[in-house]
Amino acid sequence: MAHDTDDVPRPPLDPIALNAALTRPGGMWRGVDVLPAVGSTNTELLARAKAGAPHGSVLATEHQTAGRGRLGRGFTTPDRAALTFSVLLRVTVPADTLGWLSMLMGVAAVGAVRRVTGVPAALKWPNDVIVPAEVRAEGATADGKLAGILSEADFSDPDAPAVVVGMGVNVSQTRAELPVDTAVSLRGEGAADLDRSALLGAVLGGFEELYTVWSAADGDAEASGLADAYRGMCVTLGRRVRVHLPGEELLEGTATGVDAHARLVVEGPKGGRELSAGDVVHVRPGS
């Protein structure tokens, strides 16, 4: 596998084609805006939300300079090597269902990655898009993180709370360009297609289908089928896990389910616990 940075083209996103494909009468997406560079698509889109940006606004960037992951982790990527974008949702569902939105994005992303690139992506609870160790391209012994998803909400308008869901997918990075050893790119995993515009279109198309049904079900993940779709893609289920909980607590056990509130159910030494937050490590046999 080649590892030079100049042997794979990195064309810019095509906003004209994206808008032509995604914005239509009666559809969810109002427009895709592509910035050459921005600190964080989530931060910028939240600011636009406060200024009145509509439901269905999409913001992408060719170069994110101050992206944030969960727990405030920072990262940057080379120009046009990743697919980095955020969507704005003016939600009408109950507030206690909003935890499903980042997971909904995860389901849309896994479906799109599988269809467009052929890479066998999956989900790690709650919303990391990974390539599981057993299907990695180079016989790796650990899962590889392909994408992270971060949701942020603004409740300043109680009648139409704004939720921004952002995602960064590693697309054409070489191993040397990835920030940590546990990260992988579509390129490194043998993707058949590295076209970021095609991938973004597929993610947004899948998201719209899922969101439309989930929203019509008033955020009920069970009734809308979202919970089952998520469970079918989540390889955390059935695994031995080590969970780093807030307050330095460590829980080890078996992940047995994801409940209707998007919580991970872990059977530990003291019985089952429902977790709404925590860093999960998939424990491999013998570790």
Side-chain angles (χ1 to χ4, degrees):
M1 183 181 300
H3 289 282
D4 295 325
T5 58
D6 59 359
D7 64 343
V8 172
R10 289 175 173 166
L13 289 166
D14 188 342
I16 295 174
L18 283 164
N19 279 294
L22 291 164
T23 57
R24 63 187 189 282
M28 174 174 170
W29 303 118
R30 296 291 293 272
V32 180
D33 189 11
V34 179
L35 298 179
V38 70
S40 159
T41 55
N42 266 26
T43 300
E44 172 63 22
L45 196 51
L46 278 169
R48 293 184 182 194
K50 289 179 187 292
H55 173 80
S57 298
V58 182
L59 179 67
T61 187
E62 302 290 15
H63 183 58
Q64 181 164 264
T65 59
R68 302 184 314 288
R70 291 195 320 115
L71 308 181
R73 297 175 180 128
F75 59 93
T76 59
T77 54
D79 283 10
R80 302 183 307 280
L83 173 60
T84 309
F85 70 97
S86 300
V87 303
L88 169 60
L89 310 164
R90 301 277 183 185
V91 294
T92 57
V93 298
D96 64 359
T97 68
L98 296 181
W100 278 104
L101 275 173
S102 59
M103 300 163 99
L104 190 156
M105 178 66 84
V107 172
V110 166
V113 167
R114 290 176 179 177
R115 288 194 307 274
V116 173
T117 75
V119 171
L123 290 168
K124 174 186 160 190
W125 185 89
N127 51 27
D128 282 348
V129 180
I130 67 168
V131 183
E134 55 271 21
V135 292
R136 290 276 304 277
E138 295 183 345
T141 58
D143 300 333
K145 182 172 174 178
L146 188 64
I149 297 166
L150 182 67
S151 295
E152 299 178 85
D154 175 12
F155 293 100
S156 56
D157 180 354
D159 294 326
V163 179
V164 168
V165 187
M167 181 166 67
V169 186
N170 299 324
V171 177
S172 65
Q173 290 99 319
T174 63
R175 167 50 55 196
E177 290 173 326
L178 291 166
V180 291
D181 288 345
T182 51
V184 296
S185 69
L186 289 171
R187 176 188 182 181
E189 293 302 315
D193 190 340
L194 296 176
D195 183 338
R196 293 177 305 138
S197 293
L199 184 59
L200 178 55
V203 174
L204 293 176
F207 188 98
E208 180 175 4
E209 288 181 25
L210 292 162
Y211 183 87
T212 300
V213 178
W214 175 79
S215 182
D218 210 26
D220 187 330
E222 299 289 1
S224 66
L226 174 60
D228 279 344
Y230 177 88
R231 293 176 188 127
M233 292 178 172
C234 182
V235 294
T236 304
L237 300 182
R239 295 278 290 268
R240 292 283 301 173
V241 294
R242 184 180 300 124
V243 189
H244 297 267
L245 297 168
E248 304 299 311
E249 185 184 357
L250 193 64
L251 172 66
E252 294 201 28
T254 300
T256 57
V258 171
D259 71 10
H261 301 287
R263 297 175 301 187
L264 183 67
V265 182
V266 177
E267 289 291 335
K270 299 179 181 177
R273 287 182 64 176
E274 294 83 28
L275 309 177
S276 57
D279 247 14
V280 173
V281 176
H282 289 168
V283 180
R284 306 204 68 74
S287 63

